[in-house]
Amino acid sequence: MDKLTVISGCLFLAADIFAIASIANPDWINTGKSSGSLTVGLVRQCQTIHGRDRTCVPPQLPTEWVTTLLFIILGIISLTVTVGLLVMSHWRREATRYARWIAFAGSIELKALDVVGSRHNTKPDYDEKEKRCLKAATAKTRHFKLQPAV
């Protein structure tokens, strides 16, 4: 194996580890470290309620997040197969040709993950009463001026 193949294998392995860690991590959206906090991930949603133990449940995902989960799983499979083929290329040189194409497919899947994830609107839906309260609160804070410390 040449240096480029070894470096590529290490980088693909690192990307594979990070993708697996991102699925296992429930902290994609985190409301904070206070006593009542909520964290949302692709496979778990965890909630801490004022001093109680943390409880985790599988979330009800919107279509965009299900698509994101599908692309990240396909990317993990492609990266794992690529790393395996690069290791196998030490004994069978023709395995690098297949590893290149599978790595290309994996990178396309992870780029599609980025596109789908960046298009998802994460703003909450407010009802009319909440919209009026938010509008009134922002109108009051616009006119608030900080006084210099004495």
Side-chain angles (χ1 to χ4, degrees):
M1 277 196 287
D2 57 343
K3 284 183 184 180
L4 183 61
T5 305
V6 172
I7 291 171
S8 297
C10 291
L11 291 174
F12 284 126
L13 181 64
D16 200 14
I17 290 169
F18 287 136
I20 291 169
S22 71
I23 284 183
N25 186 9
D27 292 340
W28 282 44
I29 298 174
N30 192 345
T31 60
K33 301 284 184 196
S34 64
S35 59
S37 66
L38 175 71
T39 57
V40 179
L42 284 177
V43 293
R44 284 189 301 176
Q45 176 179 343
C46 299
Q47 184 174 11
T48 306
I49 302 175
H50 301 289
R52 296 182 191 159
D53 290 335
R54 185 176 185 183
T55 57
C56 296
V57 295
Q60 297 292 328
L61 297 175
T63 308
E64 293 89 356
W65 282 52
V66 172
T67 308
T68 300
L69 182 60
L70 173 72
F71 279 128
I72 200 166
I73 288 172
L74 290 174
I76 288 170
I77 291 169
S78 297
L79 290 173
T80 304
V81 170
T82 300
V83 170
L85 286 172
L86 287 176
V87 169
M88 196 174 81
S89 73
H90 181 68
W91 296 280
R92 294 184 161 254
R93 189 72 178 152
E94 66 271 6
T96 55
R97 181 173 38 165
Y98 302 113
R100 287 180 191 154
W101 285 107
I102 294 173
F104 177 71
S107 66
I108 295 297
E109 290 158 358
L110 294 176
K111 292 297 178 188
L113 162 77
D114 184 38
V115 169
V116 170
S118 65
R119 300 277 185 225
H120 180 61
N121 184 5
T122 57
K123 292 181 182 176
D125 294 329
Y126 296 110
D127 63 1
E128 290 302 315
K129 185 177 179 182
E130 290 172 325
K131 285 180 185 178
R132 284 194 302 267
C133 289
L134 285 171
K135 192 174 185 180
T138 55
K140 288 178 183 176
T141 57
R142 257 188 243 141
H143 303 293
F144 179 73
K145 293 183 181 177
L146 292 174
Q147 299 296 325
V150 179

